[in-house]
Amino acid sequence: MKGSASAPAMTSPLEPPDSLHLQAAEGWVGLGDYNSATEELERISVANRDDPDVLQLRWRIYAHAGKWDACLEIATALTEKKPKRRFGWIHRAHTLDKLGRTQEAKDLLVSVADNFESNSTIPFHLARYCCGLGQMDEAFGWLQKAVAATDNPEELVQLRRQVLEDPALEPLRKKL
């Protein structure tokens, strides 16, 4: 899916050895070893620990551990440091949803959706949040926008699979 939030390629301006620690941490996350990934991130110099790519990876590690309060701090920092980067907004909304603040998550993404019109991830998440709030007509509209933003047939297949498999969209599937 265009702009999938799962595991984006990092494009950090970090120099070695910090860039190598970040790459190693990404590798450990890819292998599911979050402890080793954390150890690698701790090897990054203090001056570079607030680098957006470092923060994004740390968010993934904390999300895996269910540390949602820490995730919210990190995601907020990402949106402040790189407001044109969609992942901070997606992570922040996801965190708010996990904290039981689904309306806030929806409102947050609605406020930035126009900035990322060519991306299907934000409308997909908005469809999920609307389902959770019982706003089925609006959820369907956001899902239509997600499909419209998907111009690659393979991405469309992936989006359809997500719609069929995501438990948050169960109420919408029943309506379809």
Side-chain angles (χ1 to χ4, degrees):
M1 174 166 58
K2 187 187 307 184
S4 175
S6 57
M10 302 288 180
T11 56
S12 181
L14 297 177
E15 297 292 327
D18 288 346
S19 62
L20 300 174
H21 292 305
L22 179 60
Q23 289 174 0
E26 291 168 352
W28 285 120
V29 166
L31 294 170
D33 186 343
Y34 294 89
N35 291 329
S36 294
T38 298
E39 289 173 13
E40 284 294 337
L41 289 182
E42 292 305 314
R43 291 184 178 115
I44 292 174
S45 66
V46 174
N48 286 325
R49 288 189 186 168
D50 67 344
D51 176 86
D53 290 332
V54 173
L55 290 174
Q56 184 169 325
L57 192 58
R58 191 171 300 278
W59 182 92
R60 289 180 61 203
I61 292 167
Y62 286 173
H64 176 78
K67 296 180 179 179
W68 298 114
D69 289 330
C71 284
L72 185 57
E73 286 182 37
I74 292 168
T76 300
L78 280 169
T79 60
E80 291 169 355
K81 287 180 177 296
K82 294 287 185 177
K84 293 183 181 181
R85 192 171 172 176
R86 70 182 176 274
F87 295 110
W89 299 105
I90 293 166
H91 292 336
R92 190 168 164 191
H94 181 74
T95 302
L96 288 167
D97 184 51
K98 287 294 189 179
L99 289 168
R101 296 160 59 183
T102 305
Q103 183 65 52
E104 265 184 87
K106 177 194 167 197
D107 293 345
L108 177 71
L109 287 188
V110 166
S111 75
V112 298
D114 288 345
N115 299 338
F116 303 100
E117 286 181 332
S118 64
N119 179 273
S120 62
T121 305
I122 288 178
F124 177 80
H125 283 278
L126 280 164
R128 294 178 81 251
Y129 302 147
C130 287
C131 277
L133 295 166
Q135 301 163 348
M136 304 314 294
D137 290 338
E138 191 173 352
F140 185 72
W142 284 113
L143 190 56
Q144 286 178 311
K145 287 184 180 189
V147 169
T150 306
D151 56 6
N152 178 306
E154 291 175 18
E155 293 170 356
L156 189 56
V157 168
Q158 184 180 357
L159 177 62
R160 286 182 177 155
R161 185 177 302 120
Q162 285 181 297
V163 170
L164 293 173
E165 295 173 356
D166 192 323
L169 294 174
E170 178 68 24
L172 187 60
R173 286 194 300 273
K174 287 179 181 178
K175 186 175 178 175
L176 298 175

